[in-house]
């Protein structure tokens, strides 16, 4: 039996080559007299798809002490990275 070919639009989006790994911290800011909760993301490493296809290899940046919740996000284009901080 021949393998079914799928249209490119039917395929799942390609996995990025890596995910950025971040530690999150919430903080409060006052805007127009109202207190808002914001989240700060600090990059602590990267996650790469495991070569066997299931899971990820996490590489933590040397010298970083990590505890708490880690968040893995796909990379953003350079323009967005510089304005996101």
């Amino acid at each position: 039996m021949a393998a079914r070919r799928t249209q490119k639009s039917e395929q799942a989006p390609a996995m990025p080559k890596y995910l950025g790994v971040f530690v999150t911290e919430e903080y409060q800011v006052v805007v127009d007299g109202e207190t808002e909760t914001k989240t700060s993301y600090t990059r602590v490493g990267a996650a790469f798809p495991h070569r066997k296809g299931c899971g990820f290899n996490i590489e933590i940046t040397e010298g970083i002490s990590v505890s708490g919740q880690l968040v893995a996000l796909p990379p953003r284009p350079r323009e967005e990275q510089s304005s996101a901080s």
Side-chain angles (χ1 to χ4, degrees), residues 20-24 42 44-45 58 60 64 66-73:
V21 177
F22 302 85
V23 171
T24 62
T42 302
V44 296
I58 308 284
I60 302 297
I64 298 279
V66 177
S67 64
Q69 180 179 350
L70 297 177
V71 176
L73 299 170

Side-chain angles (χ1 to χ4, degrees), residues 33-64:
E34 298 289 324
T35 302
E36 294 182 11
T37 300
K38 300 277 186 170
T39 303
S40 170
Y41 290 83
T42 302
R43 186 184 179 104
V44 296
F48 299 88
H50 194 277
R51 65 184 164 106
K52 292 189 177 182
C54 185
F56 293 89
N57 293 334
I58 308 284
E59 293 183 13
I60 302 297
T61 304
E62 188 173 333
I64 298 279

